[in-house]
Amino acid sequence: MIVVTGATGNIGRVLVELLAGAGEEVVAVSRGNGAAGGGPAGVRWVRGGAGDAGSLRPALDGAHALFLVLGGELNFRGEAPDRLVKAVGDAGVERIVLVSSQVAGTRPDASSHDRLREFESAVRASGREFTVLRPAGFASNAFAWAGSVRARRTVHAPFGEVALPVVDPADIAAVAAAALREDGHAGRVYELTGPELISPRRQTEVISAALGEEVEFVELSRAEAHAGMARFMPERVVTGTLDVLGAPLPAEQRIGPDVEAVLHRPAAPFSAWVERHLPAFA
Ligand SMILES: NC(=O)c1ccc[n+]([C@@H]2O[C@H](COP(=O)([O-])OP(=O)(O)OC[C@H]3O[C@@H](n4cnc5c(N)ncnc54)[C@H](OP(=O)(O)O)[C@@H]3O)[C@@H](O)[C@H]2O)c1
C-alpha cells in the first residue's frame, strides 16, 4: 500500500492516477474531501495532511511506502521534520519519497529552503529507504497567470528574458511513481528539470500559440513582483525565490539527466503542460 500526501496537488493528483493505473493500492491524503473532486476508482481517500504527525498517522496503517510533499505553507511552518518522519517510521513505512527542491542543493545557505533541507536530513536519518526529488521550477506556476490571461490576455511576471529548465509536475509524479514502486532508487537524489530552458516571455508565447490568440507579456520590476508574492509567502522565501528567478546560478540553468534516466523517455516540454491545461487559460 502506498500513501500519497498532497494528493489533490500538482504532483499528487497525477501520482494517484499513475499508481492506481498500475494496480497499486493507494491511500490518498487530503485535508478536505478529496474524493468529492473525483479521481480514479479504487483509491481510498483519508482526511489528513503532512502538517502534523497526528493527522497523518491514520493514513499510514499498513503502508509500505509514502510520498511526502509539503503543500502551501508547510514549506515554511508545521510539524518538526524529525517528529513527522519518526511517526512515519514508527508506523512501519519502509520507503519514503520526498519532494524537496533544486534550490536545496544549489544554494545550501539559502534560508528560503531551510525547512526542505531539514526534511531531507530527517529522511536520510530515518533508517528507511529514501529517495529525494529536487525539482526545478514547476510548469504549473503558470497557473498564477491564468486569471489575467482569461480576463485580459496578459501575463505579468518579472525577469522576462531569464530562462530556466521548467519541469512538468506530471514528470515529477512519474519519477515519484517509479521510486515508490521499483527497487534501485534508494538513497538517490534526483534533480528533475524540463528538456529546455524557457523564459517567462517565451512561456507567454507558448500559451498564446496554444490559444491561437495574442497574449501580451508585461514585465514586472523585482519590487512589484516582491510586493505581490509577499501577500502569501514569508519575506525570506520571496527573496530566495526572486533570487533564483532573476539571477540563476549555472547549476540552476542546467538541463538535468535524471527525468530521462528514470523514465526512459525525454522530459515533457512546457508546451505539453499548456496543452493539457489549456481550459484554465481560455
Ligand atoms: N512550485 C515550484 O516551482 C517548486 C519548485 C521546486 C520545489 N517545489 C516544492 O514542491 C512542493 C509542492 O508540490 P505541489 O505543487 O504538488 O504541491 P501543492 O499542489 O502546492 O500542494 C499539495 C497539496 O498540499 C495540501 N496542502 C496545502 N497547504 C497545506 C497545509 N498547510 N497543510 C497540509 N496540507 C496542505 C493541499 O491539499 P489538500 O487541500 O487536499 O489537503 C494541496 O493540494 C513544495 O514542497 C515546494 O517547495 C515547488
Side-chain angles (χ1 to χ4, degrees), residues 5-12 29-32 34 48-51 69-75 99-102 113 116 135-138 140-141 169:
T5 63
T8 59
N10 294 305
I11 307 169
V29 179
S30 166
R31 293 165 304 164
V69 64
L70 303 166
E73 75 260 22
L74 296 185
N75 285 275
V99 178
S100 177
S101 166
Q102 182 190 52
H113 289 69
L116 287 176
F138 291 9
S140 51
N141 294 347

Side-chain angles (χ1 to χ4, degrees), residues 30-54:
S30 166
R31 293 165 304 164
N33 185 4
V43 174
R44 186 160 64 89
W45 287 85
V46 171
R47 201 177 285 263
D52 67 282

Side-chain angles (χ1 to χ4, degrees), residues 71-136:
E73 75 260 22
L74 296 185
N75 285 275
F76 332 128
R77 63 180 78 92
E79 184 76 278
D82 50 356
R83 236 175 80 93
L84 189 83
V85 171
K86 180 175 184 311
V88 171
D90 289 350
V93 173
E94 292 151 20
R95 182 175 286 184
I96 304 171
V97 175
L98 171 72
V99 178
S100 177
S101 166
Q102 182 190 52
V103 180
T106 54
R107 302 188 190 226
D109 300 322
S111 62
S112 51
H113 289 69
D114 277 352
R115 205 165 135 78
L116 287 176
R117 277 192 299 273
E118 287 165 19
F119 267 96
E120 287 194 11
S121 300
V123 299
R124 277 177 204 284
S126 66
R128 310 285 136 180
E129 279 187 20
F130 69 88
T131 306
V132 172
L133 309 183
R134 286 179 171 172

Side-chain angles (χ1 to χ4, degrees), residues 103 107 110-113 222 229 234-246 252:
V103 180
R107 302 188 190 226
S111 62
S112 51
H113 289 69
R222 179 170 174 134
M229 292 164 72
E235 180 64 26
R236 69 180 192 288
V237 178
V238 175
T239 303
T241 303
L242 289 173
D243 287 350
V244 175
L245 295 179
E252 291 159 348

Side-chain angles (χ1 to χ4, degrees), residues 12-32:
R13 187 178 292 274
V14 182
L15 178 59
V16 166
E17 281 179 15
L18 290 175
L19 294 173
E24 297 288 349
E25 194 184 338
V26 181
V27 170
V29 179
S30 166
R31 293 165 304 164

